[in-house]
Each structure stands twice: as C-alpha cells, then as structure tokens.
C-alpha cells in the first residue's frame, strides 16, 4: 500500500458496476489499487473495457433481487479474489411513472432491486466481513430520498429506505469493525430520459456550484468512505449534489 494506492490488497464488489456511476466507482477503486468485482444483471449488460482498468477486475452476473444468485455471486467472488473488504450497493432502476399511474409490478421491481437487493448483498457481505473484524459498505441512494419525486414515488421510497438501512446496519455492525455509510447523488450526468447536453447545462445553472455532478464526483466520495481516511465514519449520509439539496 502506498499513498497512491491506499486500497492495495483490498477486494471490492460494486453492484450495478457496468455503467454510469457504478462504472465510475469501479474505475476509481481500481485506480486506488483494489481488486474489483463488477456485478451486472444479465449477459446483455456485461461490462466492457475491464482490461483497460489499472488492476485486474472480475465480471459477475447476478440479479440482486434473487438471494440464490446473490449467494452464487459471493461464492464466485471469494473463489477468485479471496475475502471481501468493500461492498458498494449501486444496483438500481428508475422507470418513471406518475404516482396515480404507478402499478404494483413497477413498485415491486424498484423496491426489490434498489432496496431488497442492497439488503441481500449487505447481509451476505457482513457475514463474510464480521469474522475478520473489518468491512466497508456503502449504499448509493439519491437526494430524491429527501426531496421526493413527482414521477418517482417508488424510487424515492427505495432510496429513503437505503438511508435508513445504512443507519440500522451501522448500529448493528460497528462492533465487528464494519462501517456502513450512504452516498446520495443529486442530478448526475448519466443516461437520463429526455436530457441532452443542453438539458444538463440548464439543470446545472440552478445548482450553487454551477453544474450537474459527474459520475467521478460520486466515485471519489465512495473512495473516501472506504479508504483509510473514512475509518471513523459510519451511519452517515454524504449528499453529493453541488449544493442543490442541503441536508442538515
């Protein structure tokens, strides 16, 4: 481990690491020296460019809504990389729908993916981390957890649940040397329905720092929490949004 590679010797798993914020987290943790397993939900979403990352990475297919697939993913990770040190729960979906038109199947898809999936992965990870007395878990939520969303009641509810899950697990797991924190991005320049470059610029003009976030902004917050400097932070929510939402 050096100042340039503070995560050398650590093993990380990033769910939904095949695109957007997840892919940026993978790249940042790899840059800092970690071995990174990249979860993706199906064969069509298999990540590309793993050979371009600065350290070896492993693609692991699993639908995080399914405990059997989650268990198989963790078994594969352990077989290939050894003990797990870091889990980043990033897998999520957001099919927009007005609350009066939101159907039960869509509600279940979002809550099962965004919240249940995070719980299943965090529980399995914590069971592996606890005997070793060390672990770092970070859940990726959203500022929608605090503001709500007119076309995303299901999404906002799932992300608020992640915040509460993180606090609860932090209280339960601190005695095992495991920290659990949440990163809540605001508007971030990823694939967003109906938003092009001009749209992102207009959104950014309303933010105190004058721009929307980039995936790397979120990735750097995650890296801080799982690195040596974040060891005394647990049960916290860091909102990465340029000042658009200021949570007390």
């Amino acid at each position: 481990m050096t100042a340039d590679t503070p995560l050398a010797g650590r093993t990380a798993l990033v769910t939904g690491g095949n695109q957007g914020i997840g892919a940026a987290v993978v790249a940042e943790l790899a840059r800092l020296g970690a071995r990174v397993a990249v979860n993706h939900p199906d064969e069509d979403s298999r990540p590309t460019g793993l050979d371009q990352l600065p350290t070896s990475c492993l693609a692991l297919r699993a639908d995080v809504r399914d405990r059997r697939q989650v268990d198989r993913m963790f078994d594969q990770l352990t077989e290939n990389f050894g003990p797990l040190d870091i889990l980043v729960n990033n897998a999520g979906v957001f099919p927009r729908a007005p609350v009066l038109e939101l159907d039960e199947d869509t509600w279940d898809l979002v809550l099962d993916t965004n919240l249940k999936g995070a719980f299943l992965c965090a529980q399995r990870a914590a069971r592996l981390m606890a005997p070793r007395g060390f672990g770092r878990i970070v859940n990726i939520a959203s500022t929608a957890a605090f503001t709500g969303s007119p076309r995303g009641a299901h999404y906002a509810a799932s992300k608020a649940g992640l915040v509460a899950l993180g606090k609860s697990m932090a209280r339960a797991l601190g005695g095992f040397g495991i920290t659990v924190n949440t990163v809540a991005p605001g508007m971030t320049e990823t694939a967003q329905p109906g938003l092009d470059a001009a749209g992102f610029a207009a959104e950014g003009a309303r933010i105190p720092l004058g721009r929307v976030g980039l995936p790397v902004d979120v990735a750097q917050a995650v890296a801080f929490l799982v690195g040596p400097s974040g060891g005394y932070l647990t049960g916290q929510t860091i909102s990465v949004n340029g000042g658009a939402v200021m949570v007390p």
Side-chain angles (χ1 to χ4, degrees):
M1 180 187 297
T2 68
D4 294 329
T5 57
L7 299 181
R10 299 296 190 194
T11 293
L13 168 63
V14 181
T15 68
N18 55 303
Q19 61 184 352
I21 289 172
V25 172
V26 169
E28 183 67 7
L29 299 188
R31 184 183 71 81
L32 296 175
R35 298 180 298 270
V36 188
V38 186
N39 160 255
H40 60 106
D42 51 44
E43 202 55 42
D44 290 341
S45 63
R46 182 178 174 82
T48 58
L50 292 183
D51 57 339
Q52 300 174 10
L53 295 173
T55 190
S56 60
C57 290
L58 174 69
L60 294 175
R61 175 181 174 180
D63 183 337
V64 297
R65 298 175 295 171
D66 186 327
R67 181 181 288 278
R68 289 173 297 181
Q69 293 190 41
V70 167
D71 286 341
R72 184 168 64 247
M73 172 175 66
F74 276 86
D75 289 342
Q76 292 171 339
L77 183 151
T78 302
E79 290 170 6
N80 284 274
F81 277 170
L84 178 68
D85 301 295
I86 298 164
L87 169 67
V88 181
N89 276 317
N90 172 75
V93 294
F94 185 8
R96 275 71 169 174
V99 67
L100 296 182
E101 300 172 17
L102 180 58
D103 60 74
E104 187 176 354
D105 287 344
T106 303
W107 174 274
D108 288 345
L109 169 67
V110 172
L111 270 291
D112 284 353
T113 304
N114 299 5
L115 184 54
K116 176 186 172 183
F119 165 70
L120 292 177
C121 290
Q123 185 184 58
R124 179 63 192 270
R127 287 171 174 165
L128 296 173
M129 295 169 175
R132 301 175 59 235
F134 178 89
R136 300 285 180 263
I137 298 174
V138 178
N139 298 321
I140 305 299
S142 166
T143 53
F146 316 118
T147 64
S149 173
R151 292 177 56 82
H154 48 338
Y155 180 77
S158 72
K159 295 303 186 177
L162 273 183
V163 173
L165 176 66
K167 292 178 179 180
S168 299
M169 294 194 78
R171 290 186 179 277
L173 299 175
F176 296 101
I178 301 171
T179 66
V180 187
N181 291 289
T182 302
V183 172
M187 175 65 71
T188 305
E189 195 171 322
T190 59
Q192 303 273 358
L195 273 181
D196 55 12
F200 280 120
E203 293 288 339
R206 294 191 283 269
I207 295 173
L209 287 184
R211 65 173 177 86
V212 300
L214 300 175
V216 69
D217 294 320
V218 182
Q220 288 171 348
V222 172
F224 171 76
L225 289 170
V226 304
S229 298
Y232 196 59
L233 285 170
T234 196
Q236 305 304 310
T237 300
I238 296 180
S239 198
V240 182
N241 61 64
V245 178
M246 300 186 185
V247 182

